[in-house]
Amino acid sequence: MALTLEQLNQATPDAALAMLDGLYEHSPWIAQAALAQRPFASLAELKHAMVRVLAQAPVDAQLALIRAHPELAGKAMVANTLTAESTSEQNRAGLTQCTPEEFAQIQQLNADYNARFGFPFILAVRGPRGLGLPKQEIIATFARRLNHHPDFEREEALRNIHRIAEIRLNDKFGYEPVLGNDVWDWQERLAQHSDEGFAEKGQLTVTYLTDAHRACAQRISHWMRDSGFDEVEIDAVGNVVGRYRPAQEGGKYLLTGSHYDTVRNGGKYDGRLGIFVPMACVRELHRAGKRLPFGIEVVAFAEEEGQRYKATFLGSGALIGHFNPQWLDQADAAGITMREAMQHAGLCIDDIPKIQRDASQYLGFIEVHIEQGPVLTELDIPLGIVTSINGSSRFVCEMQGMASHAGTTPMDRRRDAACGVAELMLYAEQRAAQDGDSVATVGMLEVPSGSINVVPGLCKFSIDMRAPTDPQRDALVRDVMGQLEAIAQKRGLRYRAEQTMQAAAAPSAPAWQQRWEKAVAAQGVPLFRMPSGAGHDAMKLHEIMPQAMLFVRGINSGISHNPLESSTADDMQLAIDSFSHVLQQLENETV
């Protein structure tokens, strides 16, 4: 019989500890310390209480916990001495049915891993959906993590231990993240569509108006209809738009959504999570036969990444009247213009101006998005409140010096262009760090026609600078570009710098940020406020209406734009519950 939080909260200390037995392998002290914080309002609150206990524990205690775990497919499994929980988990992942070759490979990985780190490899083998990871994914993860820094890998082991405990806790309480599972499944099914040339390699790439892109639009539109949206259409730029009408005709709409295109060889959750979370909420409203005082409009934006054409935020930009007709003449790598691609897809170019939204008809815009970074996962916090989407400024530059012989040119006679750029890179790193939440990146660096025995006479580079506010960004740009001038003068170099992009910061509207904060607090997880370093569709809608975003923790160090991008069904469920809570708040405010 499943436990209840009420039973746990009311039990004696010993009885409560017995209820949580087995969550952390041979380490009841974690649950014991967390239980001192009773009563718990939610499982999420209990989970995070245990996270805090372990985070505050000495490193020796953390290592003891890691070493209390058995090796995957190791001696304890062969000897049948695993705990019941570990036996079930390894069995679900198929590790108890390894071929001799797989078993030998895992044994070698176990030996190499222990030799490098001094503790066993820990992986939540039931995975982000709780169903069990494929053996080959387990082996690939094992091999990949062998390259980690020891301190980082210790933290990664602890994160996996918390995930194991989370799944075990769900089992004890008979809890299943039903809607989180549905959202996770939608994303997995949508990822079956990938562009030609990438699908054959098992890579996910969906660029604007390709066959895979159009297949995604059709599938999303069908799911929207099945979920109970009253109106579903694919608009003039390929956005998939679903509208769930308000209780009374003439009511305003809440606008939400994200993009369904991807970068090349990208992840399954970037953008798409923000489509399916509100879709799940609408489906539940429809199933309950409930209407709200306001409507809900979910837009799956057709283009955000700028991969096929140089037209980033095309989908959301069209909604605010920012579609540039000159884009239509751009050609992709195959020579197909955007105009031709749109005509082939059956889109009506003449109707693009008609899809511009009247902001007075909307309450505002909210977006759910995977974090795309390591902050939440390193803090073991499932949700983050976005305070602002960073403003950014990008430059493409070159430093010009004099190429000369590497052996005959004395160090004090050199005009080394690459050294000048290297000095600038270090300055940009240090200057951005002074602000705490500013960032500066030299992402492209090239010495054209460079040679091992030639002092570089030319160095080409890019620099990307971002900050949560425009004044903070502008100060960073001013200092870095000023330093570029100073370095060039000091070293006898010349430079050229071309600004290629400038995007304004998009601070969250205070009232909407507060709604997200109330929603997250209601789930029993801590509030964590953070800027978004990446750009999002919300940046465009910010230009005509209030906006605020919610971040969802990613796993695998929060990596994004990468096949390893992922999140758990449990965290997705928390995002859905938070979105539903925002809807409730708005309903109460408009009654």
Side-chain angles (χ1 to χ4, degrees), residues 334-404:
I336 300 170
T337 67
M338 183 186 293
R339 186 189 310 278
E340 292 168 336
M342 296 179 83
Q343 290 170 342
H344 179 71
L347 302 181
C348 184
I349 296 172
D350 291 341
D351 284 347
I352 293 176
K354 299 177 183 178
I355 69 175
Q356 182 175 349
R357 298 302 194 264
D358 177 359
S360 68
Q361 301 302 309
Y362 292 89
L363 299 173
F365 178 83
I366 56 177
E367 182 174 358
V368 175
H369 206 283
I370 197 166
E371 181 201 348
Q372 299 183 277
V375 177
L376 292 176
T377 190
E378 289 181 359
L379 293 171
D380 265 311
I381 295 176
L383 302 174
I385 311 296
V386 178
T387 56
S388 178
I389 303 171
N390 283 2
S392 60
S393 187
R394 293 178 184 172
F395 293 82
V396 173
C397 312
E398 62 179 44
M399 190 78 87
Q400 302 163 3
M402 178 178 290
S404 58

Side-chain angles (χ1 to χ4, degrees), residues 104-171:
Q105 186 178 9
I106 292 174
Q107 293 314 298
Q108 185 60 56
L109 286 167
N110 275 323
D112 293 344
Y113 188 94
N114 268 290
R116 174 161 168 73
F117 299 113
F119 50 77
F121 174 70
I122 310 295
L123 179 65
V125 294
R126 282 180 60 180
R129 176 68 161 75
L131 298 176
L133 296 173
K135 279 185 288 185
Q136 287 308 310
E137 184 175 343
I138 292 171
I139 292 170
T141 303
F142 211 149
R144 173 173 54 83
R145 283 174 47 187
L146 266 170
N147 296 317
H148 284 168
H149 185 280
D151 290 342
F152 180 88
E153 183 57 18
R154 173 172 54 83
E155 295 294 335
E156 188 72 356
L158 294 176
R159 285 189 281 272
N160 276 274
I161 287 171
H162 284 309
R163 175 59 181 160
I164 293 167
E166 178 174 56
I167 294 172
R168 292 177 179 180
L169 189 68
N170 291 349
D171 290 344

Side-chain angles (χ1 to χ4, degrees), residues 17-18 20-26 83 85 164-165 168 172:
L17 185 59
L20 301 185
D21 180 56
L23 291 182
Y24 289 90
E25 204 85 356
H26 306 294
T83 62
E85 293 85 0
I164 293 167
R168 292 177 179 180
K172 284 180 178 289

Side-chain angles (χ1 to χ4, degrees), residues 532-566:
S532 170
H536 299 285
D537 291 300
M539 294 179 74
K540 301 303 293 183
L541 278 304
H542 171 82
E543 297 182 33
I544 65 169
M545 66 180 71
Q547 64 80 27
M549 291 185 69
L550 178 72
F551 273 168
V552 181
R553 166 177 55 185
I555 59 176
N556 296 325
S557 308
I559 195 168
S560 186
H561 285 183
N562 186 288
L564 292 175
E565 175 185 275
S566 190

Side-chain angles (χ1 to χ4, degrees), residues 238-251:
N239 296 327
V240 186
V241 182
R243 290 167 67 90
Y244 189 71
R245 296 186 190 121
Q248 301 295 327
E249 187 176 350

Side-chain angles (χ1 to χ4, degrees), residues 253-267:
Y253 277 77
L254 171 67
L255 188 60
T256 185
S258 196
H259 62 99
Y260 64 94
D261 67 320
T262 76
V263 298
R264 292 178 174 84
N265 194 24

